[in-house]
Amino acid sequence: MKIVVCIKQVPDTTEIKINPVTGTLIRDGVPSIINPDDKSGLEVALKLKDKYGAEITVITMGPPQADAVLREAMAMGADKAILLTDRKFAGADTLATSNALSAALRKIDWDLIIAGRQAIDGDTAQVGPQIAEFLDIPQISYVKDLDFDGETQFTIKRETEEGYQILQAEMPLLITVLSSANKPRYMSVGGIVEAVEKDVLVLGAADIDADENRLGLKGSPTKVYKAFSKGVKSAGEQFEVEAEEAVGIIISKLKEKFII
Amino acid sequence: MNFELNRRQELFTQMIREFSDKEIKPLAAEIDEQERFPLESVEKMAELGIFGIPVPVKYGGAGGDNIMYSIAIEELSRVCATTGVIVSAHTSLCVAPILEHGTEEQKRDYLPDLCSGKWIGAFGLTEPNAGTDASAQQTTAVLDGEDYILNGNKIFITNAGYAHIYIILAMTDKSVGVKGVSAFIVEADRPGFTIGKKELKLGIRGSATCELIFENCRVPKKNLLGKVGGGFSIAMKTLDGGRIGIASQALGIAQGAIDETIKYTKERKQFGRSISKFQNTQFQLADLYTKIEASRLLVRSAAFKKDTGVSYAADAAMAKLFASETAMEVTTKAVQFHGGYGYTREYPVERMMRDAKITEIYEGTSEVQRMVIAAKIFK
């Protein structure tokens, strides 16, 4: 099985501070990370590789520095990496991004495409589904869990606001994965040593036969009306307990804060 | 001259830092309190290849370097000094001597399982009457046909009881002094080899520190490490490398303590403002921060020299001396900055202070480091 995982390099929003005077984000010194939903998407691919064998290619579109997240993905266990980078891609909205990514995906073989649900810096959840539309393949978004029969069929648990849907689908297929689907593995030491030596395939606009009018700022109909950062929430506390015990914990916490 | 980490060292730092914070830190207080060897952490570290960082891939290692290894011990020790020393004793004191002095057959027999973490390693040099005077070895190894027969006791052995492979120093010829010391690779299941009393310690309480007892323990000739009579030299070289590990551990403890202190002094308010606003706090922490950075440069420099095959014994001694004394100073002051809270087990700095002390003692006391450094100056 050939799997492509689409990943994005994003600023670690948990480390971002806000300038109290101007209200803008201070990005200086903020580390870049693999978008969390994408990292869980990669973990889904790695689990399939562990169990059934697979060749995993990671692909990202971004500036040359995005090479770092591809190396990290290879250190976790991905086999190959593609970096789409070109000034012509700059300023792309989700439509232009998915257009470029799907053009690149037409150049390689795959049975399954995995993307994260959404990126923590844009929160649109559009790129994955748009790639599936461009490639004209079935898609299942908001994937929480996935089973494979070892041949062609996937049984997929999809999380919705009302509950779960259990769906079956065959390859070729695109899924978008939730970060809550799994706990992504760490890079291994040997994986790191190998990953920095591996080649990353670098592709520009000319290499993917895409219509240049549909790339970058030129190909982006989206106009940003207003940008704002989500309110900062504290990490909170998590308890893995049975429902009955959970009720007790909730009540005591509410009492502690004088809410009830 | 270049003070930057290379790409793999950078990527490795990112991984080990996250791993330490998420997997090791949550257990640190518990294993200290319970004096419990953290087998679950050993398993997690094994999966990632942390037990064979500076070992070539052909022997089952990760193919990394000693700077990466030093960063690993620092980052693990920043959150849990016990976990740091488990990896340090394993790598520096067991894996390294086999890699550096073993035959091709010994490397192939032992290194893959040691590097994968299936086996843990340990090292036995210290005896009740052979501490800083390590040459006063009383454990004997007498050749009998195809075997050596070992008799004697080793004390204060890190990883004892949990280790599968021990590097043991013993006298093969008492008449020639240190030239009569030989090194052996001893498997834990050899008849006649038992684990004695477990020490109850001030710090690094999750690490196992026990006595080793050899009573007519037969070890085949092929387990001799290096040449007959070459053991003392192997032990001293092994400790040179070990000092990079312990210096890294001390550095990590100091960094962990100052991180906690910076956080605390920002949060703690007295006289209507954060205590971080007081010049006393700022100046003291500035001094400590500088010493920690100086320790880091000494540690990295010693590791770099080991990686490049340059003689590094005095560098490792200086790194260990300075880093361990810095760790003791930083942790003691960290407790002071925390005041009464710092003295309680609610905060990790009291543990860090207890853990720091051993770094001035084991793998050569501070006094031994000064002897090694002086020997270089006055040679």
Side-chain angles (χ1 to χ4, degrees), chain B residues 347-365:
Chain B
Y347 287 84
V349 287
E350 65 82 30
R351 184 186 80 239
M352 292 169 169
M353 181 177 154
R354 288 186 285 106
D355 287 346
K357 187 62 207 173
I358 190 62
T359 65
E360 293 182 317
I361 298 171
Y362 61 12
E363 300 195 30
T365 60

Side-chain angles (χ1 to χ4, degrees), chain A residues 94-169:
Chain A
T94 64
L95 187 69
T97 302
S98 50
N99 186 43
L101 284 167
S102 49
L105 287 164
R106 282 194 194 100
K107 296 266 167 199
I108 55 171
D109 290 334
W110 38 262
D111 304 299
L112 175 67
I113 299 172
I114 302 179
R117 168 195 45 175
Q118 65 190 36
I120 52 174
D121 59 349
D123 272 351
T124 68
Q126 292 167 356
V127 172
Q130 286 173 359
I131 291 172
E133 290 302 312
F134 276 124
L135 296 175
D136 198 20
I137 55 168
Q139 58 169 296
I140 297 176
S141 55
Y142 294 79
V143 171
K144 177 87 177 166
D145 200 9
L146 170 146
D147 259 342
F148 182 53
D149 69 356
E151 307 265 325
T152 55
Q153 180 124 321
F154 292 98
T155 304
I156 289 170
K157 187 174 175 186
R158 179 173 190 264
E159 191 175 272
T160 70
E161 289 187 2
E162 289 80 34
Y164 295 106
Q165 295 173 341
I166 306 294
L167 303 163
Q168 283 194 324

Side-chain angles (χ1 to χ4, degrees), chain B residues 273-292:
Chain B
R273 55 180 173 161
S274 298
I275 60 172
S276 65
K277 304 278 187 206
F278 293 105
Q279 196 179 53
N280 176 55
T281 307
Q282 295 184 355
F283 278 17
Q284 283 203 60
L285 286 178
D287 285 346
L288 297 176
Y289 207 84
T290 304
K291 286 186 183 179
I292 292 171

